[in-house]
Amino acid sequence: MDHFSPSNLKTKATQSVAMAHPSSTDLHHQLVKSHLCSVSNIALEIAKKFDCEDAAALIGLLHDFVKYSCAFQRYMQIIIKEQSSHYDPDLDGAVAKQLKGSIDHSTAGAQ
């Protein structure tokens, strides 16, 4: 049986530069595509024990898919601006601490 391969997923969304996790030390932020594919590959490996690789790989890909949303990407941009000292509260609006936890990025993945 051929198994689902997240590396073969080619969609407009996965080709974007949306960020999943900002780096606190440099400009090498983790992209959503990279995060989802990494989690998918880990889930696939674990699921081999249960013979359900396809489902696990798909769940791994979808678990944080909503991180592509405009609201979450705006939050990532604010964090990065704050870290790089290019943040101007008069121009950029809310600070990251105010937004933390207010953007629901987990419900869609859990459904």
Side-chain angles (χ1 to χ4, degrees), residues 11-107:
T11 66
K12 193 173 188 178
T14 60
Q15 294 173 0
S16 78
V17 294
M19 286 173 280
H21 299 281
S23 170
S24 60
T25 58
D26 55 31
L27 296 177
H28 295 96
H29 311 296
Q30 185 182 32
L31 300 179
V32 175
K33 178 182 178 180
S34 173
H35 172 66
L36 296 178
C37 287
S38 293
V39 171
S40 179
N41 287 327
I42 292 167
L44 186 147
E45 288 302 314
I46 293 170
K48 285 181 180 179
K49 298 174 189 174
F50 311 104
D51 195 32
C52 59
E53 296 96 325
D54 290 345
L58 184 58
I59 290 166
L61 281 175
L62 297 176
H63 86 281
D64 265 350
F65 197 77
V66 78
K67 284 189 175 182
Y68 280 113
S69 73
C70 291
F72 190 83
Q73 290 307 303
R74 174 78 176 128
Y75 174 56
M76 292 291 99
Q77 290 296 325
I78 290 171
I79 291 172
I80 292 164
K81 282 185 177 185
E82 286 179 356
Q83 290 174 344
S84 67
S85 301
H86 296 298
Y87 181 75
D88 181 345
D90 293 329
L91 298 175
D92 297 316
V95 283
K97 284 183 181 181
Q98 292 171 335
L99 293 174
K100 187 170 184 161
S102 69
I103 300 168
D104 183 6
H105 76 279
S106 57
T107 302

